[in-house]
Amino acid sequence: MSIPILAACQKRKRRPKLYRFHTFGDRGCPIDPRGAFRDNIRDFLQECADLHDDNVQGMPTWCTLLVHEARNFVVPLYTIEEEVTCSLRPYCDHCRCTGWSNHFLSKRKYHLIIPADDEWNKPLVDDVMDLQTHLLHGLIHCNGFGHLLCINGIEGGSKYLCGREIMDLWDRICTNLQTRKITIQDVSKKRSMDLRLLYGVAYGHSWFGRWGYLFCRGSFGVAEHNYARAIEIFSQLELEKIIEDYSNNERGREIKKIIRHYRDMSETQLATIKDLLRFMLTIKSRAPMQIDKANDAAASYSTSKPCTRITFQSKPLAKEKSQTFRKFTTVVANMDSRWPARRLEYAAEVVVNALKEKKSGNFCHGGMTRQDLRDAARLHIGDTGLLDYVLKSMNNIIVGSHIVRRTVNPTTRILEYSIHELGNGNALISRPLPVSAPVPGVDVYSDLVHLYKNVLLDYEGSDLVDLAAQAILDSKHFVKEWPFIDEEDQFLRFVCRLMPKLCDVESDQSKRELPPGEIIVVPLHTTVRELKRAVESALRDTYCITQEFLVMEISELEELDDGELLFGAVESGAELCVRGSGIGLENRLRYQGGADSWIVRCECGAQDDDGERMVECDICEVWQHTRCCGIEDTQAVPPLFVCSGCCVSLAPPKNDSCCAFQYCSPTPMYNSFLPQNFCQ
């Protein structure tokens, strides 16, 4: 494998810079920065990276080579500098969804990327910043606030690096460069389980919590206290209570077997579902050692009711070997897909409708090639990845009252999809399969999936637990903050917060919350005048809105002359309020949330964009969640939408009818499981 930067160094007869993967980013390795992030990242690129010959969309690109000590391979870490003023997408959607819409728009973004394994020996493509296949993709604004956009380890297809190694590297880099806050939108899954729910119940935090990422904001009006209360409800859910609640059904017997098995394995008492899940996640790597023991016990569980599947047998083809058919809903339940089940089922219905329309024509058969079927379905579904995923599984599948088969056309020798009606000249046979009940301990993840689906997602007869699970699932945004530290060295550090003049505030119609202050680092023997110049330089270098900013006063230093020394007059590490002129509020590149001002006021309590799908009322122009308005993700937004409030004002509801757009939310109100005055 030849990485492009290595080939370039060999051509120039220059020795490339190589660093150890597992120590890169440690204190002093490769650099020991003392300034703010905007300065540290420049030192990092100058000292630790080689400028790439080929840029990405005109943006300068650097490459740092990391050597994996244990397995002896080289990993390329690319850094791309994006100038906001030249970018096609200057604003940051991630800041807006995180609650940072009020941040001033930074002049530069830095993308730190480790491509997928098979891309290491290829030049970067122009759409590299839009790909979701990278092993690592982090975006950091030059003010030190950023976002971890993508991480893929072994589960994501990497042959060399696991997710924990990549996260360790990312955390060390952020610490070394002295970033301020980094967010992550946790939508990670494993075997169809949302890890933010699984790890939230087991450990009280998401998988990223082990690196210090804590609750940032929730979707659908979930506040931090809602999230904490939901975690508390699960932490107090006792196993004996679960066994009692499930004692009267088939699911309860399987759950009881799993609980009993892992209780017998544990040397400590497992009292709650939190204890059980944490123990199972701890011993999952030792699960194969338990297979023999579990198989020995299989006989005691073989008396369970055998599972049955529907088999299809066509009478004209009675001599052929009968096929086994499965319901698509069952297949979806076992899929480890990034699409929700309802979207997969909707796509399957679209495929069936296309086949039915084809068959209804004057054709000798209703078969369609994969490409023709895909093109027909694309008229209703634009996500080609979703269609390809569904079509791949559509063979001997029952969807509604039809069976979809995939066979080779004897004339054209091309694989075609065809559709058959159940009970129309076909015999359905319920044939038991010789499959015994799942044996606990054979596969720990299978046991986890069983508990996840039957306890965490669908608790027997308890709306309280269901609401808690939904609150955790609706909490996707997490953040890690690196505290501001005033080190004992020959420098003074201040957090300088820009305080606009009253006239500037009044002219800004959005009335936004003031953005965070900027970190300023100056030598020990700096005067007040020199500090003002340093603040001007930092703000001009960092934000578009302060391109021509002039410091007029610093509130905490009003009694000091410009020539006086700061040392001894003001404590290092203090927060200073800076006022001045030249703030470009007329500049469209003002805030990370964009120049448009739009109002979010949803029934769930959301007052700002949280990244979820929304719809705008055509009368009051207020945005609300489609989910809260009863519009499924698989449904298109109606061409004319009127919110419930405007419906009532236009036409008061009658007793015998309801407004077509009246609010009918499937979204749980989280205050039902919280104490009084606990919800906003």
Side-chain angles (χ1 to χ4, degrees), residues 456-504:
L456 303 189
L457 285 187
D458 186 19
Y459 194 82
E460 187 76 20
S462 175
D463 293 337
L464 183 70
V465 177
D466 289 342
L467 286 172
Q470 190 62 55
I472 297 173
L473 289 174
D474 286 340
S475 303
K476 303 175 184 177
H477 297 281
F478 299 87
V479 63
K480 177 174 181 178
E481 179 176 4
W482 281 260
F484 173 64
I485 300 176
D486 181 28
E487 301 183 19
E488 296 183 359
D489 53 16
Q490 298 301 309
F491 293 92
L492 299 175
R493 292 174 176 82
F494 305 101
V495 178
C496 294
R497 183 181 293 273
L498 182 59
M499 308 294 291
K501 294 182 297 184
L502 181 60
C503 59
D504 292 335

Side-chain angles (χ1 to χ4, degrees), residues 31-45 108 110 140-145 173-180 483-485 487 489 491-496 517-522 534-535 537-539 541-543:
I31 58 175
D32 190 11
R34 300 287 180 175
F37 174 82
R38 62 179 177 276
D39 299 319
N40 297 339
I41 186 67
R42 286 169 170 155
D43 293 341
F44 165 76
L45 295 176
R108 297 175 302 282
Y110 294 93
I140 309 178
H141 302 285
C142 61
N143 63 351
F145 291 79
I173 291 175
C174 291
T175 303
N176 187 252
L177 296 180
Q178 297 186 16
T179 56
R180 300 178 66 181
F484 173 64
I485 300 176
E487 301 183 19
D489 53 16
F491 293 92
L492 299 175
R493 292 174 176 82
F494 305 101
V495 178
C496 294
E518 193 63 24
I519 294 177
I520 307 296
V521 182
V522 293
V535 173
S537 176
L539 291 174
D541 181 50
T542 306
Y543 302 111

